[in-house]
Amino acid sequence: VMAATAAVRAQAGTRQAPALWQMRWLPLLLMAVAAAEQQVPLVLWSSDRDLWGPAANTHEGHITSDLQLSTYLDPALELGPRNVLLFLQDKLSIEDFTAYGGVFGNKQDSAFSNLENALDLAPSSLVLPAVDWYAASTLSTYLQEKLGASPLHVDLAALRELKLNASLPALLLIRLPYTSSSGLMAPREVLTGNDEVIGQVLSTLKSEDVPYTAALTAVRPSRVARDVAMVAGGLGRQLLQKQSAAAAVHPPVSYNDTAPRILFWAQNFSVAYKDHWEDLTSLTFGVQELNLTGSFWNDSYARLSLTYEQLFGTTVTFRFILANRFYPVSARHWFTMERLEIHSNGSVAYFNASRVTGPSVYSFHCEYVSSLSKNGNLLVARLQPSLWQLTLQDFQIQAFNVTGEQFSYASDCAGFFSPGIWMGLLTSLFMLFIFTYGLHMILSLKTMDRFDDHKGPTISLTQIV
């Protein structure tokens, strides 16, 4: 696909496509930006008519489940064409359409021109802005069961040699990467190349006059909300997202049983005993033989245990204890890191870490999680003074709802009122006080009400002593 993408990009002309903001389906995508957490968009279109009625359009903020998705797909698979194309991208989010779709007047820079044309010309189309990631990830399996045909992984060259029959079911799977293998291509360039691949595939089917139903979705969200700020000036303050793979030189620690359960990462992991500091970063992250004995996970309780041999002359174990609870007031689950334990020489040092908390669907991120007061003192020793000190810089952890080896969106420990905001507020209040005082002084001025008349007696002013 990448080779075909490069060839298509080299042969791409200057064809103009309709602006993305003119598309009737775009408002649904934009309205669902705030609602998308672990959802991906799904775009469907077909060469047959009346496969999806207007009533199928979703309302603002709606998240399509796997059961609802099947109600949309079943009519198209039973009544529509038997040839189904599944364009499966590695990562895709609603923010991609906002950032790279030419929705802010720069329509000539749209990365989805062929997709726009396909939806404009398709007799039937349906856009689901937010589909549960699980439903989208199992879409190929669902289509295989409904069609009774195994998915065929094809590229442009194989598609030109393939002869499709309108009466026989066929499931063609075309993988579209989100980032290049070298990592040197920007997301806009890759999305544009993927769009060109979609255009070439549709042109091939059109030249052969083959009826088809096509779907575009992704395995997981790309989470590009921070890129939107370059195009639209920002979307306001949101829960911060930490992409460790982009900024880190080492992968996170991952505890697995049947699947990844706990993820832990820090830019720097340092510990001190009796004021003697040791850097554990290189001994923790990117180490294949890291000792995780004692780690445990279930839906309500998680324990990450890190054991180090010959640390301060003995064996030391660090245990991160996290709990997941449901709170009726917020109607959702929240996790809390209840404590951090340091085991050595038969003794245990406890640190309260209850301020490390957030919704269980998110990870937690903080610039510093430390027992030092200068770094926020999020770790509070149960016994004071403590012989142990601990500092985690650029800390991130997730113990529930982990998907793969990547963190979810992060709930950040940073307060809303930063020092800059406080300085601005205080300066504004001070300037408002000066303005109010000056206005009061101006309104207090009194003009003269008596004047000297040369024909009358001279005005005498009594001196006030």
Side-chain angles (χ1 to χ4, degrees):
V1 174
M2 292 302 300
T5 302
V8 170
R9 189 181 295 110
Q11 299 174 359
T14 59
R15 182 180 60 173
Q16 296 293 327
L20 192 60
W21 55 266
Q22 293 177 339
M23 305 297 292
R24 62 182 183 274
W25 48 271
L26 182 63
L28 289 173
L29 293 174
L30 297 179
M31 287 186 296
V33 170
E37 296 174 358
Q38 289 296 326
Q39 294 81 43
V40 294
L42 174 62
V43 183
L44 298 166
W45 69 98
S46 177
S47 58
D48 279 13
R49 295 183 177 275
D50 302 326
L51 294 183
W52 302 285
N57 292 331
T58 58
H59 58 79
E60 176 181 358
H62 178 74
I63 298 175
T64 305
S65 64
D66 51 350
L67 295 178
Q68 293 171 329
L69 181 60
S70 63
T71 61
Y72 296 135
L73 294 176
D74 287 347
L77 298 177
E78 295 172 0
L79 305 176
R82 304 296 291 169
N83 295 309
V84 177
L85 300 175
L86 177 57
F87 297 97
L88 190 60
Q89 194 157 296
D90 291 342
K91 297 186 292 182
L92 185 66
S93 290
I94 299 167
E95 292 88 350
D96 285 307
F97 293 95
T98 308
Y100 309 117
V103 296
F104 301 103
N106 54 337
K107 60 182 181 180
Q108 68 278 3
D109 297 330
S110 174
F112 303 97
S113 58
N114 290 295
L115 178 61
E116 296 170 22
N117 288 334
L119 292 175
D120 266 349
L121 300 176
S124 299
S125 63
L126 174 66
V127 174
L128 302 176
V131 177
D132 183 75
W133 69 270
Y134 174 78
S137 62
T138 58
L139 182 58
S140 60
T141 304
Y142 177 81
L143 294 175
Q144 178 180 351
E145 294 177 355
K146 297 295 293 186
L147 294 173
S150 300
L152 180 61
H153 296 259
V154 297
D155 54 16
L156 287 175
L159 183 63
R160 294 189 179 98
E161 301 295 331
L162 187 64
K163 300 299 181 182
L164 297 176
N165 192 326
S167 60
L168 297 178
L171 175 58
L172 306 182
L173 179 59
I174 303 173
R175 296 300 298 262
L176 303 174
Y178 180 77
T179 55
S180 63
S181 58
S182 63
L184 301 178
M185 298 178 63
R188 178 187 293 276
E189 298 177 2
V190 179
L191 290 173
T192 302
N194 292 345
D195 183 72
E196 292 294 343
V197 172
I198 294 175
Q200 288 291 319
V201 170
L202 297 181
S203 298
T204 301
L205 295 180
K206 184 177 180 180
S207 63
E208 298 179 0
D209 196 22
V210 176
Y212 67 90
T213 297
L216 170 65
T217 188
V219 178
R220 61 185 183 274
S222 60
R223 300 177 293 179
V224 297
R226 63 178 183 177
D227 296 333
V228 178
M230 298 185 298
V231 183
L235 294 177
R237 186 180 188 275
Q238 303 174 358
L239 287 174
L240 301 181
Q241 168 194 343
K242 180 66 180 178
Q243 292 183 339
S244 58
V249 294
H250 45 250
V253 172
S254 175
Y255 168 68
N256 306 269
D257 46 19
T258 58
R261 300 300 187 185
I262 306 175
L263 297 178
F264 162 64
W265 187 85
Q267 185 69 39
N268 180 271
F269 182 14
S270 299
V271 62
Y273 180 70
K274 294 182 178 180
D275 296 328
H276 176 63
W277 285 91
E278 290 286 347
D279 188 353
L280 303 181
T281 307
S282 60
L283 302 177
T284 306
F285 304 101
V287 178
Q288 297 293 335
E289 297 80 14
L290 181 63
N291 190 348
L292 299 179
T293 303
S295 299
F296 173 79
W297 180 91
N298 60 32
D299 290 336
S300 59
Y301 178 84
R303 179 178 65 238
L304 178 63
S305 181
L306 308 176
T307 301
Y308 301 88
E309 304 288 343
Q310 299 303 317
L311 179 62
F312 303 113
T314 185
T315 299
V316 181
T317 300
F318 299 86
R319 290 183 178 176
F320 299 82
I321 312 298
L322 300 98
N324 185 31
R325 299 182 180 90
F326 179 79
Y327 292 88
V329 175
S330 60
R332 68 190 310 177
H333 285 83
W334 290 70
F335 76 88
T336 302
M337 194 167 87
E338 295 187 334
R339 64 187 180 275
L340 171 63
E341 301 176 357
I342 303 179
H343 296 251
S344 65
N345 290 330
S347 63
V348 182
Y350 296 93
F351 290 85
N352 179 24
S354 58
R355 293 165 63 183
V356 178
T357 184
S360 61
V361 295
Y362 297 118
S363 62
F364 176 86
H365 170 261
C366 195
E367 184 178 3
Y368 284 100
V369 172
S370 174
S371 59
L372 303 178
S373 57
K374 66 178 182 179
N375 292 331
N377 199 25
L378 289 184
L379 299 176
V380 180
R382 182 175 298 180
L383 296 178
Q384 297 286 354
S386 176
L387 299 177
W388 293 89
Q389 299 292 338
L390 191 70
T391 295
L392 295 159
Q393 182 182 358
D394 210 4
F395 169 83
Q396 189 166 10
I397 193 168
Q398 183 176 359
F400 305 97
N401 298 287
V402 175
T403 304
E405 298 288 342
Q406 287 190 339
F407 288 101
S408 300
Y409 286 83
S411 175
D412 203 274
C413 66
F416 183 82
F417 289 97
S418 64
I421 294 178
W422 280 116
M423 291 176 61
L425 289 175
L426 293 177
T427 303
S428 300
L429 291 175
F430 181 70
M431 296 298 294
L432 180 62
F433 171 75
I434 296 177
F435 173 78
T436 304
Y437 181 77
L439 182 62
H440 174 72
M441 295 295 294
I442 293 175
L443 295 178
S444 298
L445 294 177
K446 296 182 178 179
T447 60
M448 295 180 60
D449 56 354
R450 298 181 63 189
F451 301 93
D452 191 8
D453 188 359
H454 66 278
K455 295 182 179 181
T458 303
I459 297 176
S460 61
L461 299 176
T462 302
Q463 183 177 3
I464 300 176
V465 180

